Amino acid sequence: MKGFTTKIVHSDRLDVVEHGSLHKPIHATVAYGYDKAEDLAAVFQGTQAGFTYGRQVNPTIEALQTKISKMENGLQTVCFSTGMAAIGSMLFALLRAGDHFVSSSFLFGNTNSLFNQFAAHGIDVSFVDATDPQAVADAINERTRLVFVETIANPRTQVSALSEIGALCAERGLAYVVDNTMTSPYLFQPAEVDASLVVNSLTKYIGGHGNALGGAITEMGQYDWGAFPNIYDTYQSGGVEKWAITQIKKKGLRDFGAALAPEAAHHIAVGAETLALRMERQCANALAMAEFLAGHEKVGAVYYPGLPNHLEHERAKRLFRHPGALFSFELAPELDIWSFMNDLQVVIKSSNLGDNRTLAIPVAHTIYHEMGPQRRASMGIVDSLIRISVGIEETSDLLDDLGAALAKAG
Ligand SMILES: *Cc1c(COP(=O)(O)O)cnc(C)c1O
């Protein structure tokens, strides 16, 4: 089998590409015309290959979906306008009022907010410590349909018990959804822990350049959807492994309508070509910065799975090619977080992650502000916590920048 980057760079060419174009062209169209009405009908009925309407399908997006399936070693991928749209549409399509699911409590903030909103619609969720498989097992009941986890959580970098939860889901016959955004398919292959469906925010490492939003759900082909009670009869045709992704495509993408724009799909596909190269550099920079900060007298705790004192260091080593490109740290409490951050010259004060540029954010005051001090305290988010999403700049420039700002901090 070809290597990771070879597969990505050549994936468009393996199909017929218009005029031999080396990139899949941007198809800026909503609809597709047919010479014969019978052909239009056959495409709608699925008996003939072809395109119907832009909310469901577009050749540019289809090429990106193929690329992501290859990256994840999955069966089929459906793309959405954002990562949040992917997660929301998937659960909207698969769950019904009265159902229950178990989620890691260490979640991307907006995912946490979304899951609470599902609870308001009669779909119950239990948030548990997913670093502990027993906590997940204890939360399962007779109404539980699936388990949702992230690989490395942000901002505190907890690493879920990915293999053990995969084994538990297999034993209990539950679907297992893994959000692979923080690791990307280059650092981690959820297929290896028996994931049923994989989520990727394409906005982050896969796109990589912070210039396009997108999300994806990939069916891994490892779960028996015949055992899942919520698949409509209409979608129970063909191989059982494709029932859920078909329902997600129809009830999630088509009916909810959060379609990826073809221009964004093109940006993401170009960005994805260098995923492995960028990740190698970003993870090396992250380790160097985390080690530097861990040894600095003006810094408290540093949270990075690549450091030996991280609680899940051994697990991260076992599961991931590298321990990620994001870490967080606590500035010594007597120091002024604002003047320290304002003294950074290379590192940009910004909210995104997975960009080529290194970005820093004061967590409690921004992305965790809405939660209030009590919930922040329960999650171990102190006021001096700074999250760094590490980019591809030269290592020495990043270390010098941190060092200079810390030297001034008082
Ligand atoms: C950013 C992110 C999302 C949401 O993705 P968007 O493209 O911003 O909607 C979901 N999960 C994780 C882990 C993320 O980091």
Side-chain angles (χ1 to χ4, degrees):
M1 212 201 320
K2 297 274 197 308
F4 187 84
T5 296
T6 310
K7 276 197 300 187
I8 298 171
V9 171
H10 291 275
S11 79
D12 292 347
R13 266 189 347 106
L14 302 181
D15 209 339
V16 178
V17 187
E18 297 81 341
H19 311 292
S21 171
L22 292 187
H23 287 275
K24 184 71 182 179
I26 301 175
H27 286 259
T29 185
V30 167
Y32 309 85
Y34 293 87
D35 289 340
K36 291 163 100 182
E38 292 91 330
D39 289 339
L40 177 61
V43 170
F44 260 83
Q45 291 168 22
T47 54
Q48 183 178 314
F51 296 89
T52 50
Y53 184 65
R55 182 159 20 79
Q56 278 193 78
V57 70
N58 172 294
T60 311
I61 291 155
E62 198 169 70
L64 178 62
Q65 290 175 164
T66 302
K67 209 185 289 280
I68 295 163
S69 293
K70 284 184 196 296
M71 289 179 180
E72 288 287 5
N73 278 308
L75 201 61
Q76 194 181 330
T77 297
V78 178
C79 282
F80 295 85
S81 56
T82 64
M84 289 314 303
I87 297 169
S89 303
M90 168 191 62
L91 295 183
F92 179 75
L94 292 182
L95 298 178
R96 298 182 186 179
D99 286 347
H100 168 261
F101 68 105
V102 180
S103 169
S104 170
S105 55
F106 307 122
L107 277 187
F108 180 63
N110 299 154
T111 306
N112 179 81
S113 171
L114 174 76
F115 288 179
N116 281 308
Q117 185 61 11
F118 269 99
H121 289 279
I123 295 165
D124 292 330
V125 53
S126 300
F127 293 106
V128 301
D129 175 355
T131 65
D132 173 12
Q134 192 56 48
V136 176
D138 291 346
I140 294 170
N141 65 40
E142 67 285 350
R143 296 181 297 118
T144 307
R145 301 286 174 246
L146 58 86
V147 176
F148 184 101
V149 298
E150 295 181 2
T151 53
I152 305 176
N154 139 38
R156 284 280 306 269
T157 72
Q158 296 93 341
V159 179
S160 298
L162 293 158
S163 318
E164 295 85 346
I165 298 171
L168 177 71
C169 287
E171 187 192 308
R172 303 289 188 92
L174 298 174
Y176 183 29
V177 184
V178 176
D179 183 337
N180 199 22
T181 300
M182 287 284 290
T183 25
S184 89
Y186 180 63
L187 297 187
F188 177 57
Q189 294 272 291
E192 288 171 9
V193 297
D194 259 344
S196 318
L197 295 167
V198 174
V199 177
N200 279 289
S201 166
L202 308 174
T203 316
K204 311 293 173 52
Y205 295 103
I206 291 182
H209 296 66
N211 59 350
L213 291 155
I217 303 292
T218 302
E219 165 62 57
M220 303 309 291
Q222 310 194 107
Y223 179 72
D224 175 13
W225 292 101
F228 195 83
N230 297 346
I231 307 291
Y232 292 102
D233 289 349
T234 345
Y235 307 131
Q236 295 190 13
S237 62
V240 69
E241 66 283 353
K242 290 206 174 164
W243 292 2
I245 198 76
T246 302
Q247 186 156 312
I248 290 167
K249 191 170 173 183
K250 301 290 184 184
K251 292 284 161 196
L253 179 66
R254 184 195 65 190
D255 296 359
F256 225 58
L260 182 64
E263 294 79 3
H266 174 73
H267 281 306
I268 292 162
V270 173
E273 294 184 355
T274 54
L275 174 61
L277 285 75
R278 288 184 279 107
M279 273 303 208
E280 286 292 336
R281 175 87 158 225
Q282 285 168 285
C283 294
N285 278 346
L287 181 62
M289 292 168 83
E291 284 176 342
F292 170 75
L293 290 171
H296 201 287
E297 60 188 10
K298 292 183 178 175
V299 172
V302 179
Y303 303 102
Y304 181 59
L307 296 178
N309 68 349
H310 188 282
L311 286 177
E312 292 95 39
H313 176 64
E314 288 305 320
R315 178 182 288 160
K317 258 179 31 185
R318 205 164 54 241
L319 291 169
F320 309 141
R321 190 191 295 262
H322 301 299
L326 180 139
F327 67 87
S328 58
F329 69 100
E330 294 166 7
L331 199 62
E334 68 276 13
L335 300 181
D336 181 41
I337 187 173
W338 309 110
S339 57
F340 166 75
M341 289 195 68
N342 291 340
D343 283 333
L344 294 168
Q345 301 294 314
V346 176
V347 177
I348 304 169
K349 292 160 281 284
S350 177
S351 63
N352 193 18
L353 60 91
D355 199 295
N356 281 334
R357 301 147 191 80
T358 299
L359 311 175
I361 189 161
V363 175
H365 313 273
T366 55
I367 48 178
Y368 280 66
H369 177 71
E370 194 179 305
M371 278 179 190
Q374 263 169 0
R375 282 211 54 211
R376 281 202 298 274
S378 76
M379 299 176 80
I381 310 287
V382 300
D383 286 354
S384 65
L385 188 72
I386 296 172
R387 184 189 80 188
I388 307 268
S389 169
V390 180
I392 61 171
E393 299 94 336
E394 274 70 18
T395 317
S396 57
D397 289 330
L398 295 170
L399 295 180
D400 288 351
D401 200 36
L402 289 175
L406 282 170
K408 279 173 86 176

